[in-house]
């Protein structure tokens, strides 16, 4: 029988990646479309389809609600860091709690086309639905604050895709 190959996860804190800067969800979608057209390759541990679908899940969650909650002590302290979180680059290598991961990290089998279709739909909803639910970490947020958070989130994940 063949030897089993075990791939060690990439330490994403050490990956040299692109610097991105988005000001709205439409710019996120334009970059995702460009990457999909160029057959981008991932520099981290997630596939392109996974990344795009994950961004879509979180965008939809800002409208529909995300079905998990950060620990009470995180929710207590997070508002103190909200302004910085929505205006500064997100650090790589953050490990989600298991219950959150199960809900917002799609399987690696999601195709790029499927992830892109989900992202297109989610961006359309961001543009047409005004209501926003509270963040499971930051609590109540305005539509503008969610947009800024979606941009920082997309900058992080899309920075791990390259067409070089």
């Amino acid at each position: 029988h063949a030897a089993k190959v075990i791939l060690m996860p990439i330490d994403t804190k050490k990956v040299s990646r692109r610097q991105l800067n988005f000001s709205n969800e439409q710019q996120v979608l334009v970059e995702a479309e460009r990457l999909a057209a160029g057959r981008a390759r991932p520099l981290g541990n997630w596939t392109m389809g996974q990344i795009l679908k994950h961004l879509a899940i979180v965008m939809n969650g800002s409208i529909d609600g995300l079905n998990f909650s950060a620990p009470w002590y995180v929710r207590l302290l997070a508002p103190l860091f909200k302004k910085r979180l929505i205006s500064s680059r997100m650090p790589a290598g953050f490990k989600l709690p298991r219950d959150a991961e199960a809900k917002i990290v799609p399987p690696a089998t999601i195709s790029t086309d499927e992830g892109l279709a989900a992202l297109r739909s989610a961006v359309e909803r961001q543009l047409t639905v005004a209501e926003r639910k509270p963040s499971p970490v930051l609590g109540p947020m305005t539509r503008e604050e969610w947009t800024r958070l979606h941009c920082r989130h997309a900058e992080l994940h899309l920075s791990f895709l390259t067409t070089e």
Side-chain angles (χ1 to χ4, degrees):
H1 64 254
K4 188 174 184 178
V5 176
I6 299 173
L7 296 175
M8 296 300 293
I10 294 167
D11 182 352
T12 55
K13 291 177 186 168
K14 296 180 179 175
V15 172
S16 176
R17 53 198 171 87
R18 302 179 308 135
Q19 295 292 311
L20 299 170
N21 188 19
F22 302 123
S23 48
N24 58 53
E25 293 93 345
Q26 299 98 306
Q27 290 175 349
V28 171
L29 183 58
V30 166
E31 177 64 1
E33 300 264 8
R34 185 189 75 76
L35 289 164
R39 300 289 173 225
R41 68 179 178 83
L43 302 171
N45 296 305
W46 291 10
T47 66
M48 184 168 179
Q50 243 179 327
I51 290 169
L52 299 179
K53 179 77 173 190
H54 170 70
L55 295 176
I57 290 168
V58 175
M59 283 184 189
N60 285 326
S62 70
I63 295 170
D64 303 325
L66 289 159
N67 196 18
F68 66 89
S69 176
W72 69 268
Y73 53 90
V74 172
R75 291 192 316 269
L76 182 68
L77 296 173
L80 302 172
F81 302 101
K82 180 166 137 180
K83 194 172 200 168
R84 188 169 51 182
L85 276 172
I86 66 174
S87 59
S88 302
R89 294 196 191 285
M90 288 186 177
F94 180 78
K95 182 77 173 127
L96 287 168
R98 193 170 282 146
D99 66 324
E101 186 176 333
K103 292 181 173 94
I104 65 172
V105 179
T109 55
I110 299 287
S111 72
T112 296
D113 289 343
E114 187 178 353
L116 190 56
L119 185 61
R120 283 183 188 123
S121 173
V123 168
E124 180 65 26
R125 290 187 75 210
Q126 291 297 307
L127 300 175
T128 58
V129 178
E131 183 184 336
R132 296 294 181 270
K133 299 285 191 210
S135 159
V137 176
L138 299 173
M141 290 178 43
T142 66
R143 187 175 180 178
E144 181 192 35
E145 288 172 332
W146 266 115
T147 291
R148 291 175 67 195
L149 187 64
H150 291 317
C151 289
R152 300 303 76 77
H153 186 226
E155 289 163 4
L156 168 67
H157 287 289
L158 295 180
S159 74
F160 284 100
L161 296 170
T162 183
T163 54
E164 293 175 3

